[in-house]
Amino acid sequence: KAGVTQTPRYLIKTRGQQVTLSCSPISGHRSVSWYQQTPGQGLQFLFEYFSETQRNKGNFPGRFSGRQFSNSRSEMNVSTLELGDSALYLCASSDLARGTGTEAFFGQGTRLTVV
Amino acid sequence: KNEVEQSPQNLTAQEGEFITINCSYSVGISALHWLQQHPGGGIVSLFMLSSGKKKHGRLIATINIQEKHSSLHITASHPRDSAVYICAATINRDDKIIFGKGTRLHILP
């Protein structure tokens, strides 16, 4: 069974640009969660999608958005990038309806650098 | 104060030593996760537990619900165990996951 796949692995963008990151969950998993990891703040929850609906959201500005497709693949988008958005973005998938209350399988992450 | 606190922040030990990493939380949780992150960023989920104890190879995780405390133990530690270990809790009130700051473990050969 393939693991959680995130693309791209590395990305460099300039301030003001927008970026889209992709996450393909483990086959059969319907819950996808996104996290941001920075040296200063550690890992922080961004949002969770289940069956194409955003079920939970962390405390991030509206520039951070996401969506989930019918095949459970998820994308997150960050608009008007700021230097502080430079981080490792991780996604995780879970296979039970309760989503984040169950075991989560993490992807390798996308390292975004904003210059 | 963070709702999930880990200790120690950094730990250096000799190969073969018994390692303990602690995690305490201050809110109601439905699950407690232990994660491992190697340099390069990829995260591996080690354990998810809501009560008692789980064992996988040389790794043992325990949780005490009454004391709101969990520990991760590594027996016969090895340099390849060097990584950041992160404790995370799924919060009862909203199902969000809150992470500890991580423990950086370095095992010397």
Side-chain angles (χ1 to χ4, degrees):
Chain A
K1 216 176 190 183
V4 178
T5 304
Q6 288 188 247
T7 56
R9 290 292 312 279
Y10 302 92
L11 201 50
I12 300 175
K13 290 283 191 178
T14 56
R15 273 182 299 175
Q17 283 188 309
Q18 68 136 25
V19 67
T20 299
L21 311 181
S22 178
C23 173
S24 293
I26 288 173
S27 178
H29 286 193
R30 290 189 292 163
S31 169
V32 174
S33 301
W34 287 91
Y35 306 89
Q36 181 198 62
Q37 186 180 40
T38 58
Q41 298 295 321
L43 271 162
Q44 293 182 284
F45 171 74
L46 277 157
F47 27 65
E48 186 222 351
Y49 286 86
F50 180 78
S51 291
E52 301 178 65
T53 301
Q54 187 181 84
R55 189 159 67 170
N56 236 325
K57 192 176 191 305
N59 298 323
F60 278 81
R63 299 185 297 107
F64 291 81
S65 63
R67 60 179 176 167
Q68 187 179 33
F69 302 95
S70 57
N71 62 358
S72 293
R73 188 178 71 86
S74 177
E75 288 180 348
M76 68 162 280
N77 185 277
V78 189
S79 61
T80 321
L81 283 165
E82 300 175 359
L83 294 179
D85 297 333
S86 296
L88 180 69
Y89 291 88
L90 289 153
C91 87
S93 74
S94 305
D95 68 352
L96 295 179
R98 193 152 181 243
T100 54
T102 64
E103 187 169 7
F105 295 84
F106 285 82
Q108 290 291 306
T110 293
R111 187 164 295 281
L112 172 66
T113 302
V114 182
V115 298
Chain B
K1 189 180 186 296
N2 290 336
E3 289 170 304
V4 177
E5 295 274 358
Q6 272 186 253
S7 62
Q9 258 188 307
N10 294 284
L11 180 56
T12 299
Q14 289 294 137
E15 182 173 357
E17 283 189 41
F18 181 81
I19 304 298
T20 296
I21 299 171
N22 295 300
C23 175
S24 59
Y25 51 92
S26 56
V27 292
I29 70 168
S30 56
L32 191 290
H33 311 257
W34 281 102
L35 313 171
Q36 180 193 57
Q37 186 173 33
H38 279 282
I43 285 187
V44 173
S45 178
L46 297 173
F47 295 103
M48 188 206 69
L49 60 167
S50 52
S51 65
K53 176 179 170 176
K54 284 190 177 180
K55 185 176 190 294
H56 182 70
R58 294 181 295 107
L59 301 177
I60 303 165
T62 64
I63 188 168
N64 184 316
I65 301 296
Q66 285 73 31
E67 294 186 4
K68 290 187 162 66
H69 181 269
S70 175
S71 293
L72 175 69
H73 305 286
I74 306 175
T75 62
S77 59
H78 190 275
R80 65 175 174 266
D81 297 326
S82 298
V84 176
Y85 292 84
I86 302 167
C87 164
T90 302
I91 306 301
N92 260 339
R93 66 171 182 263
D94 56 15
D95 263 359
K96 290 179 184 173
I97 294 183
I98 297 179
F99 297 86
K101 296 289 187 189
T103 295
R104 188 174 297 277
L105 175 66
H106 187 201
I107 304 295
L108 301 170

